[in-house]
C-alpha cells in the first residue's frame, strides 16, 4: 500500500504541470489564430494597409486572393484595434473610376443626357482621387453641377461644385483649401471660384 502511494504522488504534480502547460498552449494558439481583415485588395492597397498596421505594432500577413488580389490577415486578438486604426487612416482607399474607365467602349449607344451624367461622374471621381492624395486627407468627395444650358438663352446658368474632405484628426488643412479650389476651378470649364464650396470634416482624435 505504501509503495503505491509513494509512486502516485510524484506523478500528480507532473501531471498537473503538464495539464497547465497544455492549457496555456491551447490559449496561446487561440490568441494567435488569424482572421481576414480585408480581402481582394490591389497589391498597393494591401501594402498600404500592412504598412499602417506594422507602424502601429500590429502583426499582419498578406496572402494571395482571387484574380491577382491580396488578403490581409491579423490575429483575432488584434482585429478590433486594426479595424479602428484603418478607419482613422481611411484605409484601404475607396476606389475611384477615372474618365478612361467610365467611358471605355462597351458597344452600346448612350443618349446625350446619359453621356453627360457619366462625364460629370467620371470628372468628379478624377478630381476626388487627386484631392485624396494630399497629405492629411483621408477621403474626398466632389459633387459637380453642369447645367444643360440652352445656347439661345439670354442668361446661362453657372456651373458649381461642392467638395467634402475628411481629414485626419491631427491634420490642419486650412491652408490647403485655396489650392483645392484652384484645382477644381481649373479642372472644370466655365467654373468660377465663387461657385466652389470646400468643406473639411476633421476626424475625432483616437481614444486613449
Amino acid at each position: 500500500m505504501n509503495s503505491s502511494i509513494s509512486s502516485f504522488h510524484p506523478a500528480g504534480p507532473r501531471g498537473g504541470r503538464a495539464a497547465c502547460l497544455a492549457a496555456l498552449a491551447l490559449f496561446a494558439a487561440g490568441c494567435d489564430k488569424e482572421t481576414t481583415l480585408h480581402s481582394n485588395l490591389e497589391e498597393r492597397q494591401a501594402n498600404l494597409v500592412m504598412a499602417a498596421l506594422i507602424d502601429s505594432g500590429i502583426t499582419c500577413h498578406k496572402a494571395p486572393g482571387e484574380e491577382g488580389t491580396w488578403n490581409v490577415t491579423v490575429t483575432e486578438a488584434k482585429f478590433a484595434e486594426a479595424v479602428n486604426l484603418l478607419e482613422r487612416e481611411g484605409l484601404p482607399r475607396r476606389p475611384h473610376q477615372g474618365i478612361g474607365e467610365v467611358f471605355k467602349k462597351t458597344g452600346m449607344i448612350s443618349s446625350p443626357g446619359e453621356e453627360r451624367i457619366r462625364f460629370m461622374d467620371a470628372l468628379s471621381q478624377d478630381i476626388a482621387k487627386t484631392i485624396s492624395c494630399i497629405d492629411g486627407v483621408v477621403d474626398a468627395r466632389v459633387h459637380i453641377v453642369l447645367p444643360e444650358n440652352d445656347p439661345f438663352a439670354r442668361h446661362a446658368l453657372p456651373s458649381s461644385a461642392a467638395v467634402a474632405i475628411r481629414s485626419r484628426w491631427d491634420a490642419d488643412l486650412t491652408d490647403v483649401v485655396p489650392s483645392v479650389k484652384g484645382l477644381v476651378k481649373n479642372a472644370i470649364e466655365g467654373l468660377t471660384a465663387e461657385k466652389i464650396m470646400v468643406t473639411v470634416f476633421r476626424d475625432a482624435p483616437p481614444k486613449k
Side-chain angles (χ1 to χ4, degrees):
M1 183 70 176
N2 291 337
S3 61
S4 63
I5 294 176
S6 61
S7 63
F8 173 81
H9 282 291
R14 286 199 299 269
R17 285 195 295 270
C20 289
L21 291 174
L24 288 173
L26 288 173
F27 178 78
C31 292
D32 291 339
K33 184 180 178 181
E34 293 204 342
T35 184
T36 301
L37 182 63
H38 282 288
S39 59
N40 300 326
L41 297 176
E42 295 179 355
E43 186 168 15
R44 181 175 181 274
Q45 291 296 325
N47 290 340
L48 289 173
V49 166
M50 290 188 65
L53 295 173
I54 293 171
D55 283 346
S56 296
I58 300 176
T59 302
C60 56
H61 296 94
K62 183 175 71 173
E66 299 178 359
E67 299 181 356
T69 61
W70 295 88
N71 302 334
V72 177
T73 61
V74 296
T75 60
E76 289 186 345
K78 290 289 185 178
F79 182 81
E81 182 181 350
V83 169
N84 291 331
L85 169 68
L86 296 181
E87 175 64 20
R88 291 196 302 270
E89 296 293 332
L91 294 171
R93 296 291 186 185
R94 180 171 57 90
H96 295 272
Q97 284 187 306
I99 290 178
E101 294 174 289
V102 174
F103 282 90
K104 60 185 177 183
K105 293 181 180 180
T106 61
M108 299 176 64
I109 300 175
S110 301
S111 68
E114 290 173 333
E115 289 292 324
R116 180 170 163 275
I117 293 173
R118 290 173 62 204
F119 173 74
M120 285 192 295
D121 180 58
L123 187 57
S124 297
Q125 292 197 51
D126 257 4
I127 298 172
K129 183 177 181 180
T130 301
I131 296 173
S132 296
C133 295
I134 299 173
D135 186 37
V137 174
V138 175
D139 195 11
R141 298 291 181 97
V142 178
H143 303 276
I144 301 173
V145 177
L146 302 177
E148 193 172 2
N149 288 309
D150 183 350
F152 300 103
R154 179 173 297 181
H155 299 290
L157 297 174
S159 301
S160 61
V163 181
I165 297 175
R166 177 187 164 198
S167 73
R168 290 200 315 263
W169 68 275
D170 57 348
D172 185 0
L173 300 182
T174 304
D175 295 337
V176 177
V177 171
S179 298
V180 171
K181 281 192 173 185
L183 170 69
V184 176
K185 175 179 175 294
N186 293 328
I188 303 173
E189 185 178 0
L191 185 61
T192 62
E194 292 76 18
K195 289 295 182 178
I196 304 172
M197 182 176 70
V198 179
T199 307
V200 179
F201 302 92
R202 185 184 293 188
D203 279 352
K207 296 179 180 179
K208 299 295 185 180

